[in-house]
């Protein structure tokens, strides 16, 4: 089994029945826990979609449904699949087209879905397409609840994207998402391979090896690498020519009709003249500069859209080598080393392990400050960021920390700067961006790292706080949300100055993190957890072990 990574990310534990709750937090009410767990399991299939079936997209202006396919597909074959899948719908059929070489030339009212062959589960709410890093937690949730075939299909959909859409995994499967997302496909592949066996497992890993290698070599190394630092960044200069992101212009307006960009421009107009203002704001045309537009696209690639931790409202993201991105790519290489070892390619495995080790040492050398805290490097200025953000914890789960003392330093920093009664905040204070709230994916990553390094009690208490915020919100709204408020408004997050105001219901990554917490609690016997221990070698995090 993929034991090492499975232990870190708690992949594949069975849902254990039974009325007793063995781990109880004082003064907490667990009424409704079974109802919430049932809601989560049922929601997976309610959020299942197909690119062959029209799905409403409120983020663009068009009224018709377009489906774009890559050149490798036969147009008539896809049209027949569309007819078969929609034969009983009675509604309009998708207009099937080949994808043009330059996606940015697609008219605003003709943006559409990008074809992937398998069904997928969407995050929820306004998001009716498959998303890049959101799918990591969705896949883990599907595996946990026994929907292995659907989970496997989603990972293979990401392989398909790498194979047919330029070597990258897309932010989302819509034509206006001409950008990538945080690299978690390798970890998704681990989650699925852990529950496969025999020929199915081998075939899956063979395809995974090719896709993951291509993604790293042809996309990340060629289009997102910073040679002078040996690390990676989000964004590419060509994106400045794409202009403002269509889904933001058309789909994210406040009560006054202003877009996210309108609000940023209004703030920049009031800002005193400065080097920062001149880099971001074109005062003559009253718009964002090409530099700022490139940064905005990069910020959306990072998944943190928007946040202040990589420059002003994320508009300087392309200047940074982030801790989060480089930690994930180090793990990507670890997984490739393990896959090649299992498939009988020791020389290739050694090459990938050497790259993982290079990444580890470069991250330690370039992104760690004098206090032992990992911060993003601004490649334009040469200085590390001083903005406290929860991604500083990624090295705990990525096998980058090398000692108990170093792990304790990070643990203490996390608990001092981000802890609330309802889980960990992404930022130290609420700065008006939506990524200063409490988010499941970051809490999951941090708890995985804390647990790996022996801080079981801390991980448990963080999970408990988040779980009770979600449970309280579920009782009040009968819904699970994308993000939660630090002051415990049970999901009613509306005070967002930058980003979209709606707190989307669904919601994929929250469902997984809460389901995992419930399954730890609501059992006749506790799920078998790794012993409390610390592991300091990178191999232990991402080693592919023999199948059962």
């Amino acid at each position: 089994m993929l034991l090492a990574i499975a232990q870190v990310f708690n992949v594949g534990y069975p849902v254990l029945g039974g009325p007793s709750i063995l781990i109880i937090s004082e003064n907490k009410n667990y009424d409704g826990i079974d109802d919430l767990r049932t809601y989560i399991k049922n929601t997976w299939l309610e959020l299942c979609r197909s690119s062959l079936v029209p799905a409403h997209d409120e983020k663009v202006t068009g009224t018709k449904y377009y489906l774009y396919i890559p050149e490798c597909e036969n147009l008539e074959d896809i049209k027949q699949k569309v007819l078969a899948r929609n034969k009983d719908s009675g509604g309009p059929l998708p207009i099937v087209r080949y994808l043009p070489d330059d996606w940015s030339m697609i008219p605003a009212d003709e943006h559409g879905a990008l074809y992937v062959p398998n069904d997928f589960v969407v995050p929820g709410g306004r998001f009716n397409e498959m998303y890049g890093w959101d799918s990591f937690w969705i896949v883990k949730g599907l595996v946990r609840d026994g929907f292995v075939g659907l989970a496997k299909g989603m990972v293979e959909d990401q392989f398909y994207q790498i194979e047919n859409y330029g070597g990258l995994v897309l932010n989302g499967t819509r034509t206006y998402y001409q950008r990538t997302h945080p690299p978690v496909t390798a970890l998704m592949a681990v989650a699925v391979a852990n529950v496969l066996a025999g020929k199915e497992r081998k075939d899956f890993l063979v395809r995974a090896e090719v896709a993951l290698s291509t993604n790293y070599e042809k996309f990340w190394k060629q289009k997102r690498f910073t040679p002078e630092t040996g690390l990676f960044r989000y964004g590419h200069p060509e994106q400045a020519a794409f202009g403002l992101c269509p889904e933001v212009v058309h789909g994210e307006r406040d009560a006054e009709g202003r877009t996210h960009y309108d609000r940023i421009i209004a703030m920049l107009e009031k800002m005193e003249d400065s080097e920062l203002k001149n880099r971001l704001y074109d005062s003559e045309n009253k718009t964002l500069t090409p530099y700022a537009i490139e940064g905005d696209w990069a910020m959306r690639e990072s998944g943190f859209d928007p946040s202040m931790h990589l420059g002003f409202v994320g508009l300087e993201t392309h200047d940074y080598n982030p801790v989060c991105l480089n930690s994930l790519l180090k793990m990507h290489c670890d997984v490739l080393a393990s896959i090649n070892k299992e498939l009988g390619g020791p020389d290739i495995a050694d090459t990938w392990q050497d790259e993982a080790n290079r990444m580890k040492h470069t991250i330690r050398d370039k992104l760690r400050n004098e206090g032992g805290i990992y911060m993003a490097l601004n490649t334009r200025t040469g200085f590390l960021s001083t903005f406290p953000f929860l991604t500083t914890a990624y090295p705990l789960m990525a096998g980058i920390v090398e000692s108990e003392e170093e792990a304790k330093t990070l643990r203490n920093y996390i608990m001092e700067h981000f802890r609330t009664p309802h889980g960990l905040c992404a930022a130290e204070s609420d700065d008006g961006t939506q990524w200063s709230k409490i988010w499941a994916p970051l809490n999951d990553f941090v708890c995985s790292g804390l647990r790996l390094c022996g801080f079981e009690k801390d991980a448990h208490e963080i999970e408990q706080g988040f779980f009770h915020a979600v449970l309280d919100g579920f009782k009040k709204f009968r819904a699970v949300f994308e993000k939660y408020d630090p002051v415990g408004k049970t999901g009613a997050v509306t005070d967002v100055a930058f980003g979209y105001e709606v707190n989307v219901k669904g919601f994929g990554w929250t469902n997984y993190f809460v389901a995992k917490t419930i399954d730890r609690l609501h059992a006749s016997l506790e799920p078998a957890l790794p012993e409390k221990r610390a592991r300091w070698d990178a191999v232990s995090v991402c080693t592919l072990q023999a199948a059962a």
Side-chain angles (χ1 to χ4, degrees):
M1 293 179 10
L2 297 175
L3 180 60
I5 297 181
Q7 286 177 335
V8 176
F9 293 106
N10 307 298
V11 172
Y13 287 128
V15 178
L16 302 177
S20 60
I21 298 172
L22 298 182
I23 308 175
I24 299 292
S25 294
E26 294 182 6
N27 303 319
K28 294 292 186 181
N29 183 354
Y30 285 81
D31 291 343
I33 186 173
D34 290 340
D35 201 15
L36 174 56
R37 188 64 180 88
T38 299
Y39 169 91
I40 289 171
K41 186 168 185 177
N42 291 341
T43 298
W44 298 127
L45 295 185
E46 292 176 4
L47 293 174
C48 188
R49 304 287 186 269
S50 167
S51 57
L52 299 170
V53 179
H56 177 63
D57 186 9
E58 64 184 58
K59 300 185 294 302
V60 290
T61 59
T63 58
K64 296 179 180 179
Y65 182 77
Y66 293 91
L67 174 61
Y68 291 86
I69 64 174
E71 287 293 333
C72 68
E73 299 293 347
N74 181 283
L75 189 68
E76 293 306 316
D77 287 348
I78 298 299
K79 287 181 178 179
Q80 289 303 312
K81 289 182 180 180
V82 166
L83 286 171
R85 194 65 185 262
N86 293 277
K87 64 180 180 179
D88 298 322
S89 69
L93 296 177
I95 299 169
V96 184
R97 293 177 172 176
Y98 280 114
L99 183 66
D101 291 337
D102 186 353
W103 306 7
S104 65
M105 297 305 293
I106 296 173
D109 61 351
E110 294 183 11
H111 278 297
L114 288 163
Y115 175 75
V116 289
N118 303 305
D119 290 1
F120 49 86
V121 175
V122 301
R126 62 199 287 266
F127 302 117
N128 264 321
E129 46 281 323
M130 184 180 182
Y131 281 82
W133 79 319
D134 300 66
S135 293
F136 173 47
W137 288 273
I138 291 170
V139 162
K140 291 198 296 179
L142 291 172
V143 169
R144 175 174 289 273
D145 280 344
F147 303 109
V148 175
L150 184 54
K152 180 172 178 280
M154 287 186 65
V155 181
E156 290 173 336
D157 279 343
Q158 292 204 351
F159 296 163
Y160 183 91
Q161 292 174 41
I162 293 168
E163 294 159 355
N164 295 287
Y165 295 126
L168 71 159
V169 174
L170 296 158
N171 180 164
T173 52
R174 299 281 188 183
T175 51
Y176 47 75
Y177 285 137
Q178 198 173 354
R179 56 180 183 259
T180 193
H181 232 196
V184 292
T185 306
L187 300 181
M188 290 169 61
V190 165
V192 169
N194 185 53
V195 291
L196 302 180
K199 185 177 185 300
E200 184 182 23
R201 174 186 169 96
K202 182 177 180 180
D203 290 346
F204 179 81
L205 290 178
V206 167
R207 188 177 181 191
E209 197 281 334
V210 175
L212 296 174
S213 298
T214 299
N215 180 235
Y216 191 82
E217 295 289 357
K218 302 298 185 183
F219 179 74
W220 289 106
K221 264 298 185 69
Q222 290 188 14
K223 297 188 175 181
R224 298 295 187 271
F225 188 61
T226 312
E228 58 268 30
T229 64
L231 295 169
F232 295 84
R233 54 168 257 183
Y234 287 111
H236 191 277
E238 68 183 11
Q239 292 174 319
F242 296 166
L244 302 179
C245 295
E247 78 280 7
V248 179
V249 172
H250 300 293
E252 298 180 11
R253 295 181 180 270
D254 62 18
E256 299 175 27
R258 300 178 304 169
T259 70
H260 168 74
Y261 299 123
D262 293 332
R263 296 192 294 274
I264 290 179
I265 288 170
M267 178 174 283
L268 288 170
E269 284 180 335
K270 297 176 182 177
M271 187 183 292
E272 292 185 5
D273 284 341
S274 64
E275 187 272 337
L276 173 64
K277 179 176 180 177
N278 291 335
R279 268 191 293 118
L280 301 179
Y281 182 56
D282 179 347
S283 58
E284 181 178 347
N285 296 301
K286 298 188 181 301
T287 188
L288 297 179
T289 63
Y291 169 90
I293 292 172
E294 180 188 344
D296 184 70
W297 279 81
M299 174 262 290
R300 295 175 194 285
E301 285 193 348
S302 77
F304 302 116
D305 46 332
S307 154
M308 294 285 190
H309 82 289
L310 297 177
F312 180 79
V313 199
L315 298 182
E316 302 169 84
T317 296
H318 53 319
D319 279 341
Y320 287 87
N321 290 153
V323 177
C324 50
L325 170 60
N326 287 282
S327 297
L328 290 172
L329 285 172
K330 183 268 182 190
M331 297 178 78
H332 185 107
C333 296
D334 281 324
V335 171
L336 272 165
S338 297
I339 290 174
N340 278 285
K341 184 176 180 180
E342 177 168 330
L343 294 177
D347 292 341
I348 301 175
D350 289 345
T351 299
W352 282 112
Q353 197 57 63
D354 288 345
E355 178 67 358
N357 292 338
R358 183 197 70 79
M359 286 291 296
K360 172 184 175 178
H361 295 306
T362 307
I363 291 168
R364 290 181 59 80
D365 179 51
K366 302 286 188 181
L367 304 186
R368 194 157 151 275
N369 67 20
E370 293 181 354
I373 305 304
Y374 290 83
M375 292 289 188
L377 172 65
N378 187 320
T379 59
R380 183 177 54 82
T381 66
F383 293 109
L384 290 174
S385 170
T386 58
F387 191 102
F389 200 70
L390 195 49
T391 50
T392 191
Y394 276 45
L396 290 173
M397 70 166 180
I400 294 170
V401 295
E402 291 186 340
S403 69
E404 183 175 356
E405 180 181 0
E406 185 181 336
K408 284 183 177 177
T409 297
L410 276 177
R411 176 266 174 202
N412 292 341
Y413 183 86
I414 292 162
M415 303 305 269
E416 175 184 351
H417 289 271
F418 307 109
R419 189 172 182 183
T420 79
H422 314 292
L424 300 172
C425 260
E428 184 176 32
S429 60
D430 190 342
D431 53 30
T433 66
Q434 60 179 3
W435 276 97
S436 58
K437 309 298 183 181
I438 299 174
W439 294 74
L442 294 186
N443 276 261
D444 182 48
F445 274 162
V446 174
C447 287
S448 297
L450 288 171
R451 190 166 275 118
L452 177 67
C453 294
F455 302 110
E456 175 70 40
K457 183 174 182 291
D458 292 325
H460 168 69
E461 290 177 354
I462 292 165
E463 289 171 343
Q464 281 284 292
F466 186 92
F467 160 71
H468 282 288
V470 175
L471 181 60
D472 291 346
F474 179 73
K475 291 177 184 178
K476 183 175 182 180
F477 300 107
R478 192 66 185 180
V480 173
F481 293 92
E482 178 187 31
K483 52 189 174 282
Y484 285 80
D485 198 283
V487 296
K489 294 180 181 176
T490 61
V493 177
T494 56
D495 53 337
V496 174
F498 298 106
Y500 49 86
E501 292 186 330
V502 63
N503 194 6
V504 181
K505 297 178 181 179
F507 195 88
W509 49 36
T510 311
N511 288 345
Y512 166 74
F513 189 51
V514 172
K516 181 183 72 172
T517 303
I518 292 175
D519 293 349
R520 286 180 177 277
L521 299 173
H522 190 195
S524 298
L525 295 172
E526 273 190 72
L529 299 176
E531 296 177 2
K532 182 178 180 180
R533 69 208 180 288
R535 297 179 176 182
W536 308 116
D537 59 301
V539 173
S540 70
V541 180
C542 295
T543 300
L544 186 71
Q545 297 190 4

